[in-house]
Structures are given as C-alpha cells and as structure tokens.
Amino acid sequence: MSANHNGSNLPGQHGLDRGETTDVVELHAMILRERPEPVEGSEPLSLWLVVFIAALLFWAGSYLTHYSGGFRSDEFNEVQINPTPPPVVGGGNEDPATKAAKEGAIVFNANCVLCHQVDGNGLPNQFPPLAGSDWVQAEGPNRIARIVLNGAQGPIKVKGLDFNGAMTPFLENLDDKQVAAVLTYIRTSWGNKASMVKPEEVAAIRKQVATTTPPWNPADLEKIPVSSGAAAGATTAALTPDQLKDALKKLPADQLKAMLQELGK
Ligand code: HEC
C-alpha cells in the first residue's frame, strides 16, 4: 500500500499525503477557520471613499438648505401652498386687501376648501368653481355674502355650467370679519380680480337676513342688485393715490379748484 497510512482502503483516499483526515467537510472547515493575523494600527482610508463621503455631506447639506422650508412649522400649510395673490389695488405688503385675503385664506381652508377645492375650481357636477366665477367677481358682495351667510340651494349657472346642489350656511360659524376676509380671498385668488369686501358691508347684509332665512335659491338672488351704495363707496375708497390723481386730472380745472377749496375748509 502506498501513501495510505490510516488503514482505510476507500478509493477516494489515494493522494492524501499524511492522511490526518479523509472527511472533506471537516477539511474545508479547517481551511475556513484560518484567518489572517490582525494587524495593529490604522490603515489609510481609500481616497475614493473620502471624496465620496465629502460629496455626500455636501449634497445632504444643500438638500437640507433647499428643502427644509427654513424649518418653519407652517411650511406645509395650504395657505403657503396657495399663497395670497397680489393685491388688486397697489401698495405694499401691508395693504388692507392683502391682509384680509391672508386671513381669508385661513377661513377658506377651514370652511370652503372641501367643496370648492384648493384651486378654487370646485368639482364637476357637484361644486361650482369660484375661480373665474361671475358670481364671485360681481361688482359688490351682495349676492355672495348672502350665499355664505344663508347657504344656497337650487339650480345655478357658473361659468356656463349648470349645478344644482346645496351649500351649507355659515351665518353662525363665521363673523362679519371672517366672511369679509374669505370673500376678499376668493375675489382676489386664482386670477380673480375684484375689490375687497369690508366687514361693514357684511354686517349690513347680515342685518337684512335672519338665522332662519332658508338657503337662497340662486334665481331669487339674481333679483338682488350685486352692489349697494356701501359697495360702491368701498370701491372709491380703494383707489390708489395714482388712480385718484388720474381721475382728478380728467376733471375740468374749475371743478377741481372748487373741489380743493371745498376740501380745504
Ligand atoms: C358642502 C359643500 C360646500 C361648502 C363647504 C361651501 N360651498 Fe359654496 N357652494 C356649494 C354648492 C353646492 C354651491 C351651489 C349651490 C346651488 O347649486 O345652488 C355653492 C355656491 C357657492 C358660490 C356661488 C357660485 C359660484 O361658484 O361662484 C359661492 C360664491 C360660494 N359657494 C362660496 C363659498 C364659500 C366662500 C365657502 C366657505 C365659507 C363655501 N362656498 C363653502 C358647496 C359648498
């Protein structure tokens, strides 16, 4: 017998030189147990890894700067997504129309958005659009203030489309200031261009309606003039100094003089 020292005679054992074991599984396990000796000290990082980590940190930093919204808590409020439109009349950020529209956006998102939608387009066959609606952009708020106060029910045509639904009244839930603000908001949003609505106008209309007034039939509303004296007054008051100057320039000189003398008294 040649190199076979363990006394076994199986065919597979030929060629094993010291014959410690013939078990292939155990043999492999022994080989796998062999590990390189641990080295002391630190090895230099791969340059690519350093560059990659630097790039990752830079990207993370700029991502945070861009998309953190300044860490403001109101970042995801709908009011922000649908920012207040530019004021109808000129002036800085603090002009009354912008301020009212901002407050109105909050009222809108709490009370109207479910039906009339964030974009003011309503839902086909269910809720009429406010964006581009002639009802909303009428000269005065006489009709829309009544709709918001007492609700509406019955066939209504908006932007040439027929709707026939029911809108809930807000008489008891919104005060004059809130109604005025939300009307100002819908009259100046989504491309709508109409004058702001003042709380006094809403108060005057509220006096004419009662808690018990049933939701308006739009056909009846159409008999009510869109604007009253109060609304016309509000439009004049909303003139910018430049618009006023232009209007004054159109007056004949003697009339202007008389007017200024009248004011000087
Ligand atoms: C429950 C759903 C609902 C809510 C909430 C609602 N509306 Fe309406 N709104 C309607 C429906 C339906 C009509 C049409 C009524 C009809 O068919 O006579 C309407 C009509 C109107 C109209 C006149 C038509 C037009 O599209 O221009 C205005 C203006 C209006 N709503 C404003 C508001 C405002 C402002 C609020 C929040 C204060 C509000 N609505 C809340 C359902 C709703």
Side-chain angles (χ1 to χ4, degrees), residues 107-108 111-116 126-130 133-136 144 147-148 152-156 158 163-168 170 174 182-183 186 216 218:
V107 180
F108 184 85
N111 297 284
C112 326
V113 77
L114 274 181
C115 297
H116 293 288
Q126 288 187 60
F127 307 118
L130 304 177
S133 158
D134 286 339
W135 287 85
V136 173
I144 48 173
I147 292 180
V148 172
Q153 193 166 8
I156 185 171
V158 184
F163 294 87
N164 190 353
M167 173 170 150
T168 39
F170 288 90
L174 300 177
V182 78
L183 291 180
I186 64 173
W216 292 93

Side-chain angles (χ1 to χ4, degrees), residues 172-188:
E172 284 176 341
N173 297 327
L174 300 177
D175 62 24
D176 296 338
K177 202 166 167 244
Q178 289 172 311
V179 174
V182 78
L183 291 180
T184 299
Y185 174 69
I186 64 173
R187 279 161 70 84
T188 56

Side-chain angles (χ1 to χ4, degrees), residues 63-83:
Y63 187 91
L64 271 185
T65 327
H66 277 95
Y67 301 108
S68 63
F71 294 102
R72 278 198 320 269
S73 59
D74 61 349
E75 172 62 9
F76 295 109
N77 283 5
E78 272 149 355
V79 185
Q80 285 257 331
I81 298 165
N82 185 21

